[in-house]
């Protein structure tokens, strides 16, 4: 709960400086800094969610990640737009469309194009 409240405070521009690598970021300074924080957060949430769902047998943490994403999205719609953009880029299967299999395409290539993740030669089974 404290972790979530800190993230919401940062995105509201109320938080103190935070570290991003070797850089110190204070989202309360100007709107561009806040947009940068939304961009980084959306990217990291998509990375974490995709990793959790694709290659883990324990899906319970994915619901915790979803709750945090939903909470931030509810307060800041621009975060939601960035999150969806990263999600659609990383997992085209989430785009509400039907992708036809090309005639010269193998099943593995088709599933990769749909957004299924690969770990070396292993294709995710979900």
């Amino acid at each position: 709960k404290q972790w979530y409240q800190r993230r919401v405070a940062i995105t509201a521009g109320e938080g103190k400086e935070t570290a991003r690598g070797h850089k110190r970021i204070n989202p309360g300074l100007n709107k561009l800094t806040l947009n940068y924080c939304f961009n980084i957060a959306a990217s990291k949430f998509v990375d974490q969610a995709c990793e959790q769902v694709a290659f883990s047998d324990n899906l319970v943490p994915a619901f915790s990640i979803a709750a945090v994403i939903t909470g931030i999205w509810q307060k800041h719609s621009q975060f939601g737009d960035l999150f969806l953009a990263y999600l659609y880029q990383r997992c085209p299967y989430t785009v509400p469309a039907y992708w036809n299999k090309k005639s010269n395409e193998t099943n593995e290539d088709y599933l990769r194009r749909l957004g299924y993740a690969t770990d070396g030669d292993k294709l995710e089974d979900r």
Side-chain angles (χ1 to χ4, degrees), residues 13 27 41 63 66 74 77 83-84 88 114 125-126:
F63 292 101
Q74 182 180 14
S77 62
F83 176 76
L84 275 181
Y88 289 163
L114 289 179
D125 58 353
R126 294 186 226 292

Side-chain angles (χ1 to χ4, degrees), residues 29-65:
L29 291 178
N30 65 36
K31 188 141 179 90
L32 291 177
T33 307
L34 186 58
N35 289 340
Y36 175 76
C37 289
F38 285 143
N39 189 30
I40 296 299
S43 172
K44 295 301 178 184
F45 276 126
V46 168
D47 290 344
Q48 182 64 36
C50 287
E51 182 178 318
Q52 186 65 43
V53 170
F55 296 110
S56 177
D57 292 332
N58 183 11
L59 296 178
V60 173
F63 292 101
S64 300
I65 295 168

